[in-house]
Amino acid sequence: MTVRIPVQRLRSFATEALQCAGLTEQDAAAGAEVVVYADVHGFTTHGSNALAGIYVPRLRDGRINPGPQLRTVSDTASGAVLDGDRGLGLVSTVRATDLAIGKARQTGIALVAVRNSSHFGSAGYYAHRATEAGLIAIAMTNCGAQGVAPGLGGTTRMLGTNPLAAGAPAPGGAPFVLDMSATTVATGKIRAAQREGREVPVGWLTGLDGMPVTDPNAYFDGKADVTWLGGSAATGGAKGYGLAILVDLLCGPLAGASWGPTPDLLENGEERPDTDIGHVVIAIDPAAFGAGSTFGAGARQLLDTLSADLPVDPARPVTYPGAPEARTAAASLADGVALPDHVARQLLSMAADLEIKAPTELAAVAE
């Protein structure tokens, strides 16, 4: 079951919750935008679910610094490194994205990295933000030192899901926005299946014997691991694995943040927290490459041509990353954001803890 909440009401509620958790009004508004973007576009695990399950609790207990002093570590015409001071990754990455956009307008391409940060929510938000400014963008994050999946063929969880997103403007329709993890699925979806008491599809998890596993509990019990995008080595798992390494190289050593595969992990194998996370945003201005007036039209034609192809199944038209999410967003704006009952209950509990008023629509799950 789901409940629906008007977008603006959810945004106001998320902003108030983040303020009550210690953020300034400006930072709370920026963080709420990222949260609501995820919900509006159908990525609830990275939206209100994370608000109630990750951001507010960690802001309140100090694991995330509610009053960070964002510091510039290095700054050049086409790049910068920011120290997030253990603050909310949503806020520091919005600032990094805007800085990369500004620099790209001057130099054509820019890269801004963030260190000493935390969970940054939906990667697609930052890529989409750049497309709204008419730029192409790539955004990515590692999971700090936290190990979520072992290297391909390995047994020790060393790498994160290491999500990345890419976006390109295409006026006249939905922009191209690819939002993906390097693993077959984000671990939040495995947690959601566990919470709902259902099995996960074959291919999400593999047991210690290399056989497929569908019980989500096996992942959290350490009896199965999430697979890399592509699956096994025979079916292309090296591609997802390689992407995860690339993200850790850029968001770890390049950004100056932590990363997963360190020698101490092999020595003691202890679970490590997802702190000192690194993010990277790359922005590209088509105008700097002589395509300022033509890129958008070309992108629109390319995407529309793909979508016009005759589908194998008439019930499943050909589409592209960003288009289905745009349709979900349109429905959210028209009818309200759809939130699963368990997320609605989390929000009600959070509101009670913060002593703030929850949207009236959430009350339906308590009846």
Side-chain angles (χ1 to χ4, degrees), residues 43 166-168 174-180 300 303 306-307 318-326:
F43 306 119
F176 169 82
V177 181
L178 172 69
D179 189 345
M180 57 176 277
R300 183 75 272 143
L303 298 173
L306 283 170
S307 302
V318 180
T319 186
Y320 60 88
E325 295 81 2

Side-chain angles (χ1 to χ4, degrees), residues 9 22 69 76-78 81-82 113 138-139 225 234 356:
R9 193 169 300 167
Q69 299 298 311
T76 67
S78 60
V81 176
L82 307 177
I138 301 171
D225 288 307
I356 60 176

Side-chain angles (χ1 to χ4, degrees), residues 32-267:
E33 279 294 328
V34 186
V35 167
V36 174
Y37 170 91
D39 286 327
V40 164
H41 288 80
F43 306 119
T44 307
T45 54
H46 286 60
S48 291
N49 180 72
L51 174 70
I54 299 176
Y55 309 140
V56 167
R58 294 186 186 186
L59 283 165
R60 298 184 77 193
D61 67 19
R63 282 179 289 172
I64 297 177
N65 181 4
Q69 299 298 311
L70 196 64
R71 179 172 62 90
T72 301
V73 178
S74 65
D75 190 17
T76 67
S78 60
V81 176
L82 307 177
D83 187 304
D85 192 23
R86 297 191 308 106
L88 188 62
L90 313 180
V91 177
S92 60
T93 314
V94 166
R95 296 186 184 177
T97 301
D98 290 347
L99 182 58
I101 290 171
K103 287 180 176 292
R105 291 199 188 284
Q106 299 299 317
T107 64
I109 183 169
L111 185 153
V112 177
V114 183
R115 64 176 63 163
N116 196 17
S117 188
S118 63
H119 194 284
F120 85 162
S122 175
Y125 173 83
Y126 311 105
H128 188 273
R129 188 178 181 92
T131 69
E132 291 184 319
L135 273 66
I136 303 164
I138 301 171
M140 63 187 76
T141 184
N142 69 4
C143 294
Q146 183 185 42
V148 175
L152 190 64
T155 58
T156 304
R157 293 178 179 177
M158 295 190 184
L159 292 162
T161 54
N162 291 6
L164 64 157
F176 169 82
V177 181
L178 172 69
D179 189 345
M180 57 176 277
S181 62
T183 50
T184 300
V185 67
T187 55
K189 292 188 177 181
I190 302 173
R191 178 70 75 183
Q194 181 194 48
R195 184 185 296 112
E196 296 167 15
R198 56 180 172 82
E199 293 188 335
V200 300
V202 172
W204 282 20
L205 299 173
T206 183
L208 303 183
D209 59 359
M211 299 301 292
V213 172
T214 58
D215 179 5
N217 293 297
Y219 173 76
F220 300 103
D221 292 341
K223 298 177 181 178
D225 288 307
V226 63
T227 58
W228 292 110
L229 187 64
S232 68
T235 58
K239 298 173 183 178
Y241 174 47
L243 283 174
I245 296 172
L246 174 63
V247 171
D248 238 349
L249 287 169
L250 297 182
C251 296
L254 181 68
S258 294
W259 61 89
T262 55
D264 65 295
L265 181 60
L266 293 175
E267 294 168 6

